[in-house]
Amino acid sequence: MEPGSTSPDSQARQDAEEHDDIRMRCAPNPNGPWHVGHARMPAVIGTYRERYDGWFCVRFDDTDPETKRPDLEAYDAILEDLEYLGFEPDEIFRASDRLETYYEHAHELIDLGGAYTCSCSGEEFSELKNSGEPCPHREKDVETVRSEFEDMVAGEYESGEMVLRVKTDIEHKNPALRDWVAFRMIDTPHPREEASEYRCWPMLDFQSGVDDHLIGITHIIRGIDLQDSAKRQQFVYDYFGWDYPEVVHWGHVQVDAYDVKMSTSTISELIEEGELDGWDDPRAPTLKSLRRRGIRGQAIVDAMVELGTSTSDVDLAMSSVYANNRDLVDDETDRRFLVRDGVELPLGGSPPAEANPPLHPNHEERGVREIPVGDAVLLESDDLPAREERIWLKGLGCFQYTRDTLQYTGEDIDVVREGDVDVIHWVPAAESVPVRLRTVTGDVAGQAEPEVGALESDELVQFERVGFARIDRHEDDETVAYYTHS
RNA sequence: GCUCCGAUGGUGUAGUCCGGCCAAUCAUAUUGCCCUCUCACGGCAAUGACCUGGGUUCGAAUCCCAGUCGGAGCACCA
């Protein structure tokens, strides 16, 4: 996979021929459940794994106990999100379990003359670095560096007092690559008990670079924000005589259809403030939310794979996820009636006592619904007929709106086929069940046909002329459903 | 300031490496028609794009240069 490649298929196929094995990793920072954008990595590497008989692991890069402090619940939340998408990692690592390994490699690097301890303040060093000048610590002898690094590992420095830098090229034309920090001191204990005693933590470029080699990663995909990482890590790989994996950088993903910014910290704050109910609030652009809305993980995965791996930023249209999902569920989803903000109209003219529309128009063998009609129905306000207008109540028959009453005319379906009578959905005013439909833009109240009150939790329905929804639960006074899409 | 990277319809993508088969693929979206007791599913059709300017060439979406626009890094974040 060469940088700039935009053809996942042809590229990966070519790569598969060059390597015995395709080994990839997904390296999340466990700071919360995943938002929609996070699905891209597992979608792509998971699909490649299946396609080329490869391998992938999840490696939690949790090496900053302070600024990017890991959330203990996020480790499992992320694995659940992964499962929802339909993938199981071949192996799971936590960087915070592997500190000793990083220390060993740091020692090795020091002995090779590839690193030095430095007590410059960030500001001081930055100034020197920007003018291409080495700091006085760069020429320390190996013995001193080794002993100072051991003191770092032993926790004998405070945060900010000492770092270990990789000796790269202080005059490199790209300032981003000059003598970068490999280890620093952090006073705050890691939230994981197993790692809480460590104070000397590796930076991403060191940790990730070492791990990618040790784990045998052959292909790395990462964001353009890390486009200098490979060049930085190359210095370490050169010291150790390692070959760097193939790298692809891709741009950021934006998702339309949401008011809420797709950012873990933003969503987290909104939940904190009570603006959102939780990570699975239908208004949140998270995987937990899509799951609760009844969207199949596969629909998301397919949409993500279609985005490819271009280095430019891309917009994911939720409509493409919805289109994929509709394709997946339409055939097996039963139809039901739901009337939002219903307006009650009395019936006259002795209509049938019960309506029996099919559960699915393309599958009559699945049977019919039983909807008692009663003396009055609810219609959506947009569907209200004009005076003397005829409408066809779906599954029931033709009615004419006369003197504030819907009078049954007993006409047959030909009036619809002739095209001058609109077909609309309805529910009985007396026996319908209250429904709260939770949507991306907020909750909507409605009434559904009686059988909806007995549907299993987790069942998907299509409310005719409204859209798909997942039955979430039945509370005392209402059924709660999550709107999937139209 | 220094350093990287990118630019095909509303969105995503194919084609770019190896110039002609591209008056540009497919999907989605939108619109219209057909089917239908749903504004679902299915079928048909329409709309709609190679950032700009130079250069090389018989020929450029594709190669070269410049510009414009956009993104990213230069953290003791990931």
Side-chain angles (χ1 to χ4, degrees), chain A residues 276-287:
Chain A
L276 295 174
D277 293 342
W279 291 96
D280 56 1
D281 188 300
R283 294 163 295 181
T286 58
L287 294 179

Side-chain angles (χ1 to χ4, degrees), chain A residues 428-445:
Chain A
E431 290 191 57
S432 58
V433 302
V435 169
R436 180 154 56 99
L437 189 62
R438 309 207 63 203
T439 80
V440 172
T441 49
D443 292 2
V444 177

Side-chain angles (χ1 to χ4, degrees), chain A residues 190-231:
Chain A
H190 197 279
R192 290 186 64 232
E193 208 181 314
E194 302 89 318
S196 61
E197 296 302 315
Y198 292 104
R199 293 294 175 272
C200 176
W201 286 91
M203 299 286 288
L204 176 78
D205 279 321
F206 188 85
Q207 174 267 119
S208 168
V210 167
D211 273 344
D212 285 338
H213 176 78
L214 297 181
I215 294 170
I217 299 302
T218 59
H219 294 77
I220 296 171
I221 306 179
R222 62 179 153 219
I224 40 171
D225 46 331
L226 262 26
Q227 60 190 325
D228 289 332
S229 272
K231 292 173 193 155

Side-chain angles (χ1 to χ4, degrees), chain A residues 230-439:
Chain A
K231 292 173 193 155
R232 282 204 191 101
Q233 294 169 343
Q234 186 64 51
F235 287 96
V236 173
Y237 274 62
D238 285 345
Y239 282 117
F240 287 142
W242 295 343
D243 287 328
Y244 203 83
E246 303 293 325
V247 192
V248 166
H249 293 107
W250 58 26
H252 299 290
V253 193
Q254 282 192 312
V255 180
D256 64 2
Y258 284 102
D259 292 334
V260 174
K261 193 180 153 203
M262 195 172 70
S263 129
T264 307
S265 55
T266 304
I267 298 165
S268 177
E269 280 164 27
L270 290 171
I271 293 170
E272 201 86 1
E273 292 162 12
E275 299 285 324
L276 295 174
D277 293 342
W279 291 96
D280 56 1
D281 188 300
R283 294 163 295 181
T286 58
L287 294 179
K288 301 224 175 285
S289 163
L290 296 188
R291 179 181 206 165
R292 196 158 191 186
R293 286 168 56 195
I295 289 170
R296 300 276 177 86
Q298 186 66 45
I300 303 165
V301 168
D302 291 345
M304 285 296 177
V305 171
E306 280 160 20
L307 289 184
T309 56
S310 146
T311 55
S312 22
D313 291 351
V314 292
D315 294 334
L316 171 69
M318 279 308 288
S319 59
S320 71
V321 174
Y322 298 158
N324 290 343
N325 194 246
R326 204 177 287 122
D327 227 29
L328 256 22
V329 303
D330 183 78
D331 196 62
E332 58 193 64
T333 303
D334 287 343
R335 270 52 175 172
R336 299 291 180 178
F337 288 152
L338 171 82
V339 169
R340 298 161 295 188
D341 289 324
V343 176
E344 182 169 337
L345 291 181
L347 299 179
S350 306
E354 185 174 280
N356 298 105
L359 281 165
H360 191 112
N362 302 347
H363 296 281
E364 291 195 9
E365 75 283 1
R366 290 186 198 166
V368 296
R369 302 175 257 158
E370 294 174 2
I371 309 174
V373 177
D375 300 329
V377 295
L378 301 177
L379 304 183
E380 301 209 347
S381 49
D382 284 353
D383 289 331
L384 289 180
R387 299 279 159 192
E388 306 306 322
E389 191 186 345
R390 285 180 304 171
I391 54 174
W392 184 277
L393 295 186
K394 207 166 182 327
L396 221 204
C398 190
F399 292 79
Q400 185 166 29
Y401 190 46
T402 308
R403 275 167 285 143
D404 297 328
T405 301
L406 286 173
Q407 288 291 331
Y408 184 57
T409 64
E411 286 169 285
D412 96 1
I413 192 62
D414 287 342
V415 299
V416 169
R417 297 198 173 117
E418 284 155 16
D420 48 359
V421 175
D422 289 336
V423 175
I424 65 176
H425 63 289
W426 57 279
V427 292
E431 290 191 57
S432 58
V433 302
V435 169
R436 180 154 56 99
L437 189 62
R438 309 207 63 203
T439 80

